[in-house]
Amino acid sequence: IERMSNVTEFILLGLTQDPGLQTLLFAVLLIISLLTLAGNLLISVTVFTSPALGSPMYFFLSYLSMIDGFCSSSIAPKLLFDLVSGKNTISFSGCMTQVFAEHFFAGAEIVLLVVMAYDRYVAICKPLHYMTVMSRPVCALLVGTAGALGFLHGGIQIVFMVQLPFCGPNVIDHFMCDLIPLLELACSDTHTLGPLISANSGSLCLLAFLMLVAPCVVTLHSLRTQSSEGRRKALSTCASHVTVVVLFFVPCSFLYLRPTASFPTDKAVAVFCTIVTPMLNPLIYTLRNAEVKNVTKKLWGQIMKTDDE
């Protein structure tokens, strides 16, 4: 890396240069970050400690919550520190680590969302074979596969990025290190490498979205043969999943399924994708699921009772 680059650190311009707005953003983003960590931690702990939530759907949900918590934690602390301290520098290795973490967790989440869509398809369309097809070893293997593919996706991005020479400008007009802002700083021709790097993320988004749509369409089509109560429960579950998918893939597609160039709205979309969406996911799944709400209330009641004693 050192032979390819004279740059040892980058300067992040952040979300805004207005001190008043920086203070407001710090307060808002701090609250969102704390809610994200608390919400996702609560779901993970609830699922892992409650026998009533032992089905594969909740098993996957607990790992989705963990990924969301880690994804937010890889971006939010640095952003909050920069907003309050005004020290907007990040080392070259720190920048590459942030790029890897961002794409590792995003890639793992994309694969896990596909797995969750397949889980709902089997549960609704093949209920008699559900526990056989989605056994615990199979679920563990699928979660492991999501992690491995996420690691591969993040690794490919880093392999591409470390080949780029950074020998001059080191100011990134963003609040975090990401592919397109870094490509614009490279002092070499990126007309070939740029599309390859974007295609790695863009193709993953598009392929996963198509793989998500297929089981959802088949599942909704099969609901015609279900009872009215069965249709209601299945639609509620599918609606939660589709909402999460839309919140994740619309920003992802905007950022990566396009030519390698920065747009003024990139920062706002990136904030939504990396900080706001991880907070919304646990709310979407729990508010529409009576079983999770009841178990969470019981767990919270036990915690409060313990504190009182």
Side-chain angles (χ1 to χ4, degrees):
I1 294 173
E2 291 178 0
R3 287 197 302 268
M4 297 293 292
S5 176
N6 296 325
V7 174
T8 58
E9 66 178 17
F10 294 100
I11 299 172
L12 301 169
L13 291 185
L15 291 171
T16 178
Q17 300 299 308
D18 184 342
L21 195 53
Q22 284 179 342
T23 304
L24 176 62
L25 286 170
F26 173 79
V28 172
L29 294 175
L30 177 62
I31 292 171
I32 292 175
S33 298
L34 293 175
L35 288 175
T36 299
L37 290 175
N40 285 295
L41 180 63
L42 181 61
I43 285 186
S44 296
V45 171
T46 301
V47 172
F48 283 129
T49 58
S50 174
L53 301 178
S55 71
M57 178 178 74
Y58 299 118
F59 178 77
F60 294 134
L61 177 58
S62 66
Y63 280 97
L64 179 68
S65 295
M66 289 173 62
I67 291 173
D68 278 331
F70 283 127
C71 183
S72 176
S73 298
S74 68
I75 303 296
K78 173 62 178 168
L79 172 58
L80 292 170
F81 178 77
D82 290 349
L83 284 171
V84 74
S85 69
K87 184 187 176 185
N88 297 346
T89 59
I90 185 170
S91 67
F92 185 89
S93 58
C95 187
M96 294 299 112
T97 301
Q98 194 176 64
V99 170
F100 172 78
E102 174 196 353
H103 288 273
F104 166 45
F105 293 122
E109 180 159 340
I110 287 173
V111 178
L112 190 58
L113 287 172
V114 173
V115 169
M116 292 175 74
Y118 176 70
D119 170 70
R120 290 300 82 208
Y121 160 73
V122 176
I124 295 170
C125 298
K126 302 181 185 295
L128 297 179
H129 304 284
Y130 179 58
M131 294 312 295
T132 303
V133 174
M134 303 302 292
S135 64
R136 186 49 62 100
V138 171
C139 292
L141 177 63
L142 290 171
V143 170
T145 301
L149 291 177
F151 186 88
L152 178 64
H153 171 63
I156 290 173
Q157 303 291 44
I158 291 300
V159 168
F160 280 138
M161 294 308 298
V162 296
Q163 296 181 48
L164 295 175
F166 298 95
C167 49
N170 67 335
V171 178
I172 301 175
D173 188 14
H174 213 298
F175 65 87
M176 66 179 186
C177 290
D178 202 7
L179 304 176
I180 294 175
L182 286 171
L183 282 172
E184 293 176 341
L185 293 182
C187 50
S188 67
D189 185 5
T190 58
H191 287 94
T192 302
L193 190 58
L196 284 175
I197 293 175
S198 294
N200 183 29
S201 294
S203 60
L204 181 63
C205 284
L206 184 60
L207 180 62
F209 183 74
L210 294 175
M211 291 174 68
L212 280 162
V213 168
C216 284
V217 170
V218 175
T219 300
L220 292 173
H221 184 262
S222 71
L223 291 180
R224 296 181 304 169
T225 60
Q226 302 277 342
S227 65
S228 59
E229 178 65 16
R231 281 199 300 269
R232 186 190 65 78
K233 291 182 69 175
L235 282 171
S236 177
T237 303
C238 285
S240 299
H241 191 66
V242 169
T243 303
V244 170
V245 167
V246 169
L247 287 174
F248 187 87
F249 281 96
V250 169
C252 174
S253 300
F254 175 82
L255 290 173
Y256 299 111
L257 279 175
R258 69 181 204 202
T260 52
S262 295
F263 292 97
T265 53
D266 284 358
K267 293 182 186 181
V269 174
V271 167
F272 184 83
C273 193
T274 59
I275 296 177
V276 178
T277 298
M279 178 193 68
L280 295 177
N281 284 353
L283 292 175
I284 292 166
Y285 278 111
T286 53
L287 292 178
R288 296 186 63 89
N289 191 306
E291 200 170 8
V292 176
K293 282 194 291 186
N294 291 334
V295 173
T296 303
K297 286 178 183 176
K298 288 180 181 178
L299 179 64
W300 187 254
Q302 291 174 353
I303 294 172
M304 291 291 99
K305 189 177 180 182
T306 304
D307 288 344
D308 291 338
E309 292 175 357

